[in-house]
Amino acid sequence: MGGAIAVPGNMTPVGEFNTIADAVAAARIYALTSPDPESTMPPFGSATALPDYPPAEKLGDRRLRVIKFPLDITQNHSLRRDEVHAKVGPLAEKGSPLAEWVRAFTEFCFVKTE
């Protein structure tokens, strides 16, 4: 979670609870997506108990890849069995544990809602 795109936020017009409740933690996570995390972190008036960021040269290409899921992901969405099978089936057949779980979970949901 982290914000809202096509729907109102649940705390402010565009703000989502988790980000607003701990803006410092959110800022630290987002900063770690930068080649130089320290340059993107907002300044603090006093010292914090948080560890310093690793220097940019030590971080190298090990930056975090953050994928944000907006608040509207929690809204109802249409999901068809044939679409799930087409996308997840080949990955499950190759042995992906996540794809196997998604296939089992969605199949259970399809059977339950039919």
Side-chain angles (χ1 to χ4, degrees):
M1 303 302 266
I5 296 174
V7 298
N10 62 2
M11 292 299 290
T12 72
V14 295
E16 189 271 330
F17 173 79
N18 295 298
T19 301
I20 291 187
D22 197 347
V24 173
R28 286 185 65 86
I29 293 296
Y30 299 142
L32 288 173
T33 66
S34 168
D36 185 8
E38 211 163 78
S39 70
T40 61
M41 188 66 186
F44 294 104
S46 61
T48 70
L50 298 170
D52 291 335
Y53 285 112
E57 60 274 359
K58 187 174 181 185
L59 191 61
D61 63 353
R62 297 180 303 136
R63 295 184 304 228
L64 288 182
R65 181 172 173 245
V66 173
I67 300 172
K68 289 178 63 173
F69 293 93
L71 189 58
D72 44 341
I73 194 77
T74 63
Q75 303 297 312
N76 288 337
H77 291 80
S78 175
L79 189 62
R80 294 190 343 241
R81 180 181 265 152
D82 62 324
E83 292 174 327
V84 173
H85 286 217
K87 294 285 186 183
V88 177
L91 298 171
E93 298 306 321
K94 289 181 181 176
S96 165
L98 178 58
E100 290 175 11
W101 181 87
V102 169
R103 183 167 61 180
F105 178 79
T106 54
E107 187 60 30
F108 173 81
C109 292
F110 287 132
V111 169
K112 195 84 167 158
T113 58
E114 289 176 340

